[in-house]
Amino acid sequence: MKALLLADFGAPYYPAIREEHPDLELVEAYSNEDILSKISDAEAVFGYLTDKQFQAAKNLKWIQTLDAGMEGLFNAVPEIADTDVLVTNARGAGAPMIGEHGVTLMLALARQLPRFWADKSNRKWDQDGALEVVEYLGNKTCGIIGLGKSGKEIGWRAKALGMTVIAVDEQPVDGDPIVEDVWGLSKLNDLLEQSDYVVVTAPYTAKNAGMIGEAELSRMKSSARLVVTSRGRLVDHDALVNALNSGGIAGAGLDTTVAEPLPADNELWDLPNVIITPHIAGNSEKAHLDERTVDIFAENLRRYVSGHPLINVVDKQLQY
């Protein structure tokens, strides 16, 4: 069996995989020309393909991608959805980091850290004013939209802080012991109405773009905050800006936005009740994330050669 290794960050880890599978032909290829010259007889690929590369892969049976989000592959190779090629992703590699980052955004909003950073810059000690705005998370409700691996990592951390955690998910999900209730998407409005912090961790597909729009934001408490760690396109940008400006919701913590990079003239930059981070929730020390991503491929490679079911299999019709 021949597997093409396209992820150059995996180079330090490939020798150990070769040692584990001495009978496999594990070939590194990093340039387009190199990939095209070697892919025709490859049975498996670790990385992403262009449409031209996919067309040249005459023997391809399995692709292991490098991220949890799948729009990159399906946008580049839309026809893959109608083939028998098995697709798996790296779902979970960045989940613990997303868990930390999501809760960090909630804590920063509750404890008003942007305000105090501004006060520090102005050498301003405003204890009386601060006492009126800081909040306690422990008696609040965290509502998670999309209880996958990242959602669960946020959920147990929120529960550890004393929060009540509820969730909705398109698929049946067992939330025990983290979540009080996991509902179907039909109860999204109930989650929005009950939550003090609404956390969006659902995967993006063309079908759920803008799923949090004006009507959904209007269901939220005026004291509630929205945290987005998966894809900014799940939230209608104009509706969010209007809700933040009008006091419809109290604030937002955004690791992802509709447009990335967020243009310098975008109105979100100027809103004092918004925290923005540049789509890094799933990242950490580079070697740590790289190793976790390669580990998922290595585990699936073991399963593939032994004929066992793979983990992180992507539903190509749902595209996640």
Side-chain angles (χ1 to χ4, degrees), residues 82 124 131 134 152 178 194 229 253 257 263 265 270:
D82 299 318
K124 177 182 179 182
L131 290 172
V134 291
K152 288 179 180 178
I178 300 168
Q194 295 179 33
T229 63
T257 53
D265 61 352
D270 296 320

Side-chain angles (χ1 to χ4, degrees), residues 8-21:
D8 56 359
F9 66 77
Y13 309 101
Y14 294 152
I17 298 176
R18 287 193 176 94
E19 185 176 351
E20 183 180 353
H21 302 281

Side-chain angles (χ1 to χ4, degrees), residues 66-267:
L66 312 178
D67 302 289
M70 294 305 304
E71 60 266 35
L73 177 64
F74 288 106
N75 287 342
V77 192
E79 64 268 32
I80 197 173
D82 299 318
T83 70
D84 293 329
V85 175
L86 183 67
V87 177
T88 56
N89 65 13
R91 184 170 59 246
M97 291 77 90
I98 293 172
E100 286 189 355
H101 198 85
V103 170
T104 297
L105 290 173
M106 287 193 286
L107 283 166
L109 290 164
R111 305 307 298 178
Q112 293 291 312
L113 295 191
R115 171 189 174 132
F116 298 132
W117 183 262
D119 285 351
K120 175 182 176 292
S121 299
N122 294 322
R123 300 174 183 267
K124 177 182 179 182
W125 183 275
D126 182 20
Q127 187 178 49
D128 289 340
L131 290 172
E132 297 176 0
V133 296
V134 291
E135 297 178 0
Y136 173 56
L137 278 187
N139 60 2
K140 303 296 191 299
T141 294
C142 173
I144 300 174
I145 301 174
L147 195 68
K149 293 185 178 181
S150 298
K152 288 179 180 178
E153 291 284 350
I154 292 172
W156 75 255
R157 287 173 170 84
K159 185 174 181 179
L161 291 171
M163 301 183 80
T164 298
V165 183
I166 57 178
V168 295
D169 199 286
E170 186 176 15
Q171 305 298 322
V173 178
D174 182 6
D176 186 67
I178 300 168
V179 181
E180 297 290 328
D181 289 296
V182 184
W183 302 317
L185 284 180
S186 62
K187 296 194 71 173
L188 174 60
N189 286 342
D190 296 88
L191 178 140
L192 296 171
E193 291 166 358
Q194 295 179 33
S195 299
D196 300 290
Y197 288 80
V198 174
V199 184
V200 180
T201 65
Y204 170 81
T205 69
K207 294 180 180 179
N208 64 11
M211 68 180 295
I212 306 299
E214 181 180 359
E216 288 74 26
L217 290 167
S218 70
R219 295 273 186 171
M220 292 174 61
K221 303 175 184 179
S222 60
S223 59
R225 276 86 176 219
L226 181 72
V227 172
V228 185
T229 63
S230 56
R231 292 294 186 270
R233 283 168 287 176
L234 296 176
V235 181
D236 181 273
H237 172 83
D238 293 338
L240 175 60
V241 170
N242 289 338
L244 290 164
N245 275 323
S246 68
I249 62 174
L254 308 175
D255 184 58
T256 57
T257 53
V258 172
E260 295 184 9
L262 188 65
D265 61 352
N266 190 280
E267 52 267 70

